[in-house]
């Protein structure tokens, strides 16, 4: 210990005659903070009679007796010497007041510089050295009261601003490596109760933030940037904290950067609050999955960052007929189902996979880097997982749902965008749903070709509707007599056709497109309006009934009944000769809107009948549950009525049951005389099919009807 003190004393010692001749006050301190040497100016300014009164004293106590610029005694945190001793921080300027016996307070400017000995010749960082002592220089500002007052006011304002804003200020000397904390507290980044050099400071920065931090410092040091700021995370005793660093460079007369000045502000609470807000804004509150905004953001980021040859994949999942769950078990059960679906999808997440809820009953999985095989396999796996039965709290039975899944893979070679990838995945889902749902569809070149074809057909359909090129053809409906000679054409069915650029387009090519595009309502009403004028509004066809089809979408359209009534009013007709055919699917899922429309059509005088009985949702219960007037037996039963004993028995039973409910029975799809006679024997009321007449123009229908009378 004695040898160490001797080494320090020798390192800091100066000739007495030199020290005493200085115009500024000087103190030399050992590493423990005790005064080794002092000159008369320092003694006078610190209120002592002789330099010997200071030698051997603990300098911390000397400066604890001083007052700050606000006129109050300095507390332990503000004592500049404490920061210099405990943390090795240089204090370039600190204005303090010294109370002297029997005299006014003397204001002095204090500078403190640690004296360091490098640990090795290889130690490049001046801060990474041993503190052998401290040199304290004390000067007295101009005695003019205004000057001192201005200095006190400036120092006080700075101190108050720092405390209120909690912004420690620092200054870094680029040549010596000395860092000075201007508030004397050393509360900034990298200062946590012990001396830290620049190397320690840099090591504490989060690796992901180091590049941005170093780039800013380099730009400041080279003069390319006058001032800059950066956010970074810094290692602390309790984990990573967030800091905002602001810095400005100072140059000498030659334009060389000599110092960096700056502030540090801890913003951990703010960043955590911002992160919490972002989580709320980017997370679905019910399932806690990523919401639509976050899914879109992940796709956009992945399209930029995904390494080749990998691609970005998107799997979109729609719960088929989700409304049935709410209708049957209640909305609470529906929410529980969505939550469980979210949990199952979350288990499929992981590295570079983000599950999300797009809204209502639609979900997604983003594959931020994947091969085509991986995207396809994930789509199949998600389909399997979501198709398993669900056990929901408060529901006594297993809940079963089907899922339509569509997947798409980015093609960045053709500048694939987020919106394009999304559109392709949703197109794949739509194709799956159009086939009844419950399947997986992958968007590929074949599907792309089909999409382009459908888009072309949609454009042609819009043009035809606008040009009035959509029109009806009519298939005769025969009322059967006891003998063929008594058969008469008493009605017809209006069937939609489209003329596009001189080409006749069959309904199989455009009706599905009309339903998907929403044009089906306009199509149904356009055909209906022309049929009313041609059949019901002409004397030549007086007495003929008109059967017309309205799709499920049309029957849900809020203005359907009013538009039908307007067509009839324009023709000066009632709806008594009108026969409206609806599909079994409408009655399987009857909404209040649909039932109201059926009542409205009946109020106009129309008869309501079930088209294609025996397909899809076939149920004999419809005959008694709904107020129907007629029923059409599907062609699939008629085709085998003469060759299949069981089919014949079914048709007979259906006819008998319909008659028991006072329904008129129409058989469609009759192509042979044997089928016609078999149906006649079963007391079928009406028939239509190619045997009795193919779809024809109104002129041909008029001629055929007059010939059958």
């Amino acid at each position: 210990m004695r040898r160490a003190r001797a080494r320090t004393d020798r390192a800091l010692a100066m000739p007495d005659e030199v020290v005493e001749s200085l115009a500024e006050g000087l103190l030399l301190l050992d590493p423990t903070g005790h005064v080794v040497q002092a000159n008369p100016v320092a003694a006078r300014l610190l209120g002592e009679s002789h330099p010997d009164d200071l030698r051997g004293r603990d300098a911390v106590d000397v400066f604890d007796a001083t007052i700050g610029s606000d006129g109050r005694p300095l507390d332990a945190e503000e004592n500049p010497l404490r920061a210099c001793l405990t943390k090795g921080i240089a204090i370039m300027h600190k204005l303090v007041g010294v109370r002297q016996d029997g005299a006014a307070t003397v204001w002095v400017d204090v500078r403190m510089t640690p004296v360091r000995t490098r640990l090795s010749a290889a130690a490049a960082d001046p801060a990474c050295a041993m503190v052998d002592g401290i040199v304290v220089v004390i000067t007295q500002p101009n005695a003019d009261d205004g000057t001192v007052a201005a200095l006190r006011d400036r120092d006080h304002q700075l101190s108050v601003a720092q405390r209120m804003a909690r912004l420690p200020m620092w200054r870094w000397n680029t040549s010596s490596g000395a860092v000075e904390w201007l508030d004397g507290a050393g509360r900034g980044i990298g200062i946590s109760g012990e001396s830290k050099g620049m190397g320690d400071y840099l090591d504490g920065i989060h690796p992901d933030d180091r590049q941005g931090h170093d780039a800013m410092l380099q730009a400041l040091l080279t003069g390319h940037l006058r001032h800059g700021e950066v956010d970074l995370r810094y290692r602390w005793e309790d984990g990573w904290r967030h800091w905002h660093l602001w810095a400005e460079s100072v140059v000498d007369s030659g334009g060389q950067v000599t110092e960096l000045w700056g502030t540090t502000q801890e913003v951990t609470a703010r960043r955590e609050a911002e992160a919490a807000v972002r989580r709320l804004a980017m997370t679905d509150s019910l399932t806690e999955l990523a919401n639509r905004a976050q899914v879109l953001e992940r796709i956009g980021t992945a399209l930029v960052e995904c390494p080749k040859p990998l691609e970005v994949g998107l799997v979109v999942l729609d719960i088929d007929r989700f409304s049935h769950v709410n209708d049957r078990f209640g909305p609470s059960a529906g929410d529980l189902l969505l939550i469980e679906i979210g949990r199952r999808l979350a288990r499929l997440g992981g590295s570079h996979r983000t599950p999300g809820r797009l809204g209502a009953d639609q979900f997604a999985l983003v594959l931020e880097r994947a091969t085509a095989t991986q995207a396809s396999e994930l789509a199949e796996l998600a389909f399997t997982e979501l198709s398993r039965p669900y056990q929901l709290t408060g529901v006594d039975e297993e809940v079963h749902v089907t899922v339509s899944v569509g997947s798409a893979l980015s093609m960045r070679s053709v500048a694939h965008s987020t919106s394009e990838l999304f559109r392709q995945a949703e197109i794949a889902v739509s194709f799956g749903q159009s086939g009844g749902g419950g399947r997986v569809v992958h968007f590929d070149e074949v599907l792309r070709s089909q999409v382009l074809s459908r888009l072309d057909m949609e454009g042609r359909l819009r043009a035809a509707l606008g040009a009035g090129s959509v029109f009806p053809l009519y298939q005769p409906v025969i009322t059967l007599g006891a003998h063929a000679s008594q058969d008469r054409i008493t009605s017809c069915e209006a069937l939609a056709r489209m003329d596009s650029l001189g080409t006749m387009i069959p309904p199989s090519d455009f009706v599905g497109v009309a339903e998907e595009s929403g044009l089906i309502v306009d199509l149904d009403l356009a055909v209906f309006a022309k049929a009313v004028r041609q059949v019901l509004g002409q004397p030549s066809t007086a007495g003929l009934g008109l059967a017309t089809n309205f799709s499920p979408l049309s029957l849900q359209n809020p203005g359907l009944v009013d538009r039908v009534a307007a067509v009839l009013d324009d023709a000066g007709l009632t709806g008594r000769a009108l026969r409206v055919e609806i599909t079994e699917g409408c009655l399987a899922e009857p909404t209040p809107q649909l039932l109201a429309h059926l009542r409205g059509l009946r109020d106009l005088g129309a008869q309501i009948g079930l088209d294609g009985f025996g397909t899809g949702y076939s149920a004999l219960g419809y005959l008694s549950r709904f107020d129907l007037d007629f029923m059409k037996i599907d062609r699939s039963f008629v085709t085998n009525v003469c060759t299949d004993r069981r089919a014949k028995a079914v048709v007979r039973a259906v006819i008998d049951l319909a008659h028991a409910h006072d329904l008129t029975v129409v058989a469609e799809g009759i192509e042979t005389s044997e089928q016609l006679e078999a149906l006649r024997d079963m007391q079928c009321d009406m028939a239509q099919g190619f045997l009795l007449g193919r779809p024809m123009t109104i002129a041909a229908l008029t001629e055929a009807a007059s010939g059958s009378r």
Side-chain angles (χ1 to χ4, degrees), residues 435-454:
R439 64 190 184 116
V440 180
V441 176
H442 306 289
F443 191 91
D444 54 19
E445 288 304 316
V446 174
L447 190 54
R448 184 190 300 274
S449 176
Q450 293 176 343
V451 169
L452 293 176
S453 176
R454 289 203 175 196

Side-chain angles (χ1 to χ4, degrees), residues 327-350:
D327 293 342
R328 182 174 180 183
F329 302 111
S332 296
D335 287 347
L336 291 175
L337 175 61
L338 294 175
I339 292 171
E340 180 57 29
I341 289 173
R343 288 172 179 164
R344 294 187 185 185
L345 285 179
R347 290 195 289 268
L348 298 180

Side-chain angles (χ1 to χ4, degrees), residues 6-23:
R7 179 179 59 76
T8 301
D9 289 346
R10 287 195 303 272
L12 295 180
M14 296 177 63
D16 289 339
E17 58 271 20
V18 174
V19 172
E20 291 177 359
S21 66
L22 293 175

Side-chain angles (χ1 to χ4, degrees), residues 125 127-128 170 172 177 179 181 187-192 194-207 209-210 212-217 220-221 229-236 240-241 243-247 260 262-265:
D125 188 347
C128 297
W170 52 268
W172 178 32
V179 178
W181 293 94
R187 294 192 302 264
I189 292 178
I191 305 300
S192 56
E194 59 183 26
S195 177
K196 284 184 179 289
M198 182 57 65
D200 296 316
Y201 159 68
L202 294 175
D203 288 343
I205 298 174
H206 194 286
D209 301 334
R210 180 69 183 270
H213 169 273
D214 291 356
M216 185 193 75
L217 283 189
L220 289 168
L221 293 172
E229 53 189 321
V230 66
D231 281 349
L232 54 85
R233 287 160 291 177
Y234 198 84
R235 186 187 298 109
W236 217 255
W240 295 103
R241 294 190 187 181
W243 290 82
H244 182 78
L245 175 68
W246 182 92
L260 296 183
T263 63
T264 58
Q265 180 183 18

Side-chain angles (χ1 to χ4, degrees), residues 59-82 94-99 107-108 110 112 155-156 159 163 183-184:
V60 171
D61 296 335
V62 173
F63 284 95
D64 272 346
T66 58
I67 61 177
S69 57
D70 60 355
R72 295 184 177 87
L74 293 175
D75 59 26
E77 182 178 323
E78 294 176 308
N79 188 325
L81 191 57
R82 288 184 182 274
K94 180 69 176 179
L95 188 68
V96 298
V98 180
R99 289 194 179 95
W107 292 94
V108 297
V110 181
M112 301 179 179
D155 195 69
H156 181 57
S159 177
R163 285 196 298 271
D183 64 350

Side-chain angles (χ1 to χ4, degrees), residues 320-590:
D320 300 327
R321 293 179 289 279
F322 174 74
S323 60
H324 288 185
V325 176
N326 284 335
D327 293 342
R328 182 174 180 183
F329 302 111
S332 296
D335 287 347
L336 291 175
L337 175 61
L338 294 175
I339 292 171
E340 180 57 29
I341 289 173
R343 288 172 179 164
R344 294 187 185 185
L345 285 179
R347 290 195 289 268
L348 298 180
S351 179
H352 305 302
R353 292 182 179 181
T354 302
R357 183 186 178 203
L358 303 177
D361 55 0
Q362 190 177 64
F363 294 81
L365 280 165
V366 179
L367 291 82
E368 297 165 24
R369 51 188 67 183
T371 63
T373 300
Q374 290 171 336
S376 175
E377 289 177 348
L378 183 62
E380 298 288 348
L381 180 59
F383 174 79
T384 301
E385 285 298 307
L386 268 58
S387 298
R388 291 190 292 107
Y390 295 84
Q391 294 284 357
L392 304 179
T393 303
V395 178
D396 296 333
E397 60 185 272
E398 287 186 339
V399 176
H400 296 261
V401 295
T402 60
V403 185
S404 294
V405 180
S407 72
L409 199 67
S410 68
M411 297 176 62
R412 289 174 294 160
S413 60
V414 291
H416 215 115
S417 65
T418 299
S419 59
E420 178 67 10
L421 183 62
F422 224 104
R423 188 179 73 87
Q424 291 182 357
E426 291 193 318
I427 286 173
V429 170
S430 296
F431 266 74
Q433 291 176 324
S434 65
R439 64 190 184 116
V440 180
V441 176
H442 306 289
F443 191 91
D444 54 19
E445 288 304 316
V446 174
L447 190 54
R448 184 190 300 274
S449 176
Q450 293 176 343
V451 169
L452 293 176
S453 176
R454 289 203 175 196
L455 290 175
D456 175 68
M457 183 56 67
E458 181 181 337
R460 296 169 70 177
L461 177 58
R462 288 183 185 276
L465 286 169
S469 299
V470 172
F471 58 91
L473 291 182
Y474 304 97
Q475 186 170 37
V477 179
I478 311 298
T479 296
L480 299 178
H483 304 284
S485 60
Q486 298 174 329
D487 293 348
R488 297 289 184 269
I489 297 176
T490 56
S491 183
C492 65
E493 180 179 1
L495 303 171
R497 296 294 186 268
M498 181 175 75
D499 183 356
S500 177
L501 303 177
T503 302
M504 187 72 70
I505 309 297
S508 58
D509 288 355
F510 64 84
V511 170
V513 174
E515 290 177 339
E516 291 180 7
S517 63
L519 295 174
I520 189 65
V521 178
D522 291 336
L523 175 63
D524 284 349
L525 288 168
V527 171
F528 171 72
K530 287 187 176 182
V532 167
R533 290 194 297 270
Q534 292 179 351
V535 176
L536 302 184
Q538 300 298 324
S540 58
T541 52
L544 284 183
L546 174 64
T548 187
N549 295 276
F550 286 119
S551 72
L553 289 177
S554 294
L555 290 170
Q556 299 283 2
N557 187 275
L560 175 68
V561 175
D562 291 339
R563 294 174 71 175
V564 169
V567 170
L568 294 172
D569 289 343
D570 289 345
L573 301 170
T574 68
R576 284 195 296 271
L578 188 62
R579 298 163 66 89
V580 176
E581 299 180 2
I582 62 175
T583 63
E584 291 188 51
C586 293
L587 300 185
E589 304 176 18

